[in-house]
Amino acid sequence: MTDPVPTPTPTQTVGPFYGYALPFPGGGEVAPAGDPAAITVHGYVYDGAGEPVPDALLEFWQAAPDGSLAGRPGSWRRDPASGGLLPRDAFGFTGFGRVPTGADGHWTLRTLPPPPAAPYLSICLFARGLSRHLFTRAYVEGLGGERELTALAAERAETLLARREGAGVFRFDVRLQGEGETVFLSFGH
Amino acid sequence: MTDVVVDERTPGRVVDPYRSGALRVPTRAPLAVGGDPEAVELYGPVFGVTEVSALDADLTRHHVGEPHGERITVSGRVLDRAGRPVRGQLVEIWQANASGRYAHRRDQHPAPLDPNFTGTGRCLTDAEGRYAFTTIRPGAYPWGNHENAWRPAHIHFSLFGRAFTQRLVTQMYFPGDPLLAYDPILHTVTDAAERDRLVAAYDPELSVQDWSLGYHWDIVLDGPAATLPDPEATP
Ligand SMILES: [Fe+3]
């Protein structure tokens, strides 16, 4: 290595054709099967004209309910016969989900509530047209994060709130641009 | 988005802008939350043997027959900004076939699909941060950005580091490709030296005798991580 302090490799768009490569079965089923504590978080991704974005990919990462950030492998499995992708084993909690938007721009995640110490889902969003991925957070309403959220994003804080729609169901829309533009985050040094 | 992109190495040349971003790129600067040592994003998902099988890194062996095209080996190291190897982390790739066609239903480029090539691969980096794939050289393909827009041959890469902040999706290009000078996507990187870092080097050391041509491409992940001891490091 000639460069002692390397700069990061530039990002490039995910493009339109990641769909047969990155999504995996049950990518939005992060909660163990049948767990009564599971919550559903869902929403739409909209562009600057208010049109749904049908080719975005959302990745989710969060603390486990006990506060652990260690994660664990097993978000998907390989079929030993076909080599194909299978859903996760349905028991463990990996903290990781990956969901493409549908033709209507909608996505759904079923997960366990994050702990009060870190009451949000971290989201990394990719799409055709975005040279760089976008980070944001969905603070789950009612888990005590509202004050932290207001301190973080002031009057635009509401764009980071996943609002309760019903029992265990929360709504989080992403607006990439314009009116009500979602607050995106950077994690510089 | 920028209106025009000037290729500074060729004065007077203007590369068309990447139009797909016009209604998608946010207009506001991102909110910096870099100072929070408790941020969930300083940690990240982990992957292991359940997600990857040994065959995943050889894209020429995913079907009964051999795919068409020029067989290549692509290898390099994944490093963090301190130059340390990023070990045991997931690398995913996807690409068009030798004719420039993706195995994706929305790809309508009238070039043949190859029944022996899907074009997706995965591996975990080794103890030195190294990844390696065997595949075929992808073809160029046309797209609708502007008249006679053709993407240079490229392989899409997705990488995870030790933290969610290190997440990287990018594209690897091939040296000497005349389309590099005209590609709006490559030119979303405005600095010429930075663009060059997305171009692999032909490396005869990585070629396999009578089998494949070798390309070398190293990757540096950005982003802070929580300063946990490296679990792979031996004291
Ligand atoms: Fe492509």
Side-chain angles (χ1 to χ4, degrees), chain A residues 16-17, chain B residues 94 102 141 151 154 156 171:
Chain A
F17 298 135
Chain B
W94 69 104
Y102 283 93
Y141 59 84
R151 294 296 330 278
H154 61 277
H156 294 266
Q171 303 180 26

Side-chain angles (χ1 to χ4, degrees), chain B residues 10 20 41-42 60 68 74-75 98 101-102 112 137 156 179 233 235:
Chain B
T10 314
S20 306
E41 294 85 356
L42 299 180
T60 70
H68 289 286
V74 180
S75 183
R101 178 84 182 265
Y102 283 93
R137 183 183 172 121
H156 294 266
L179 294 172

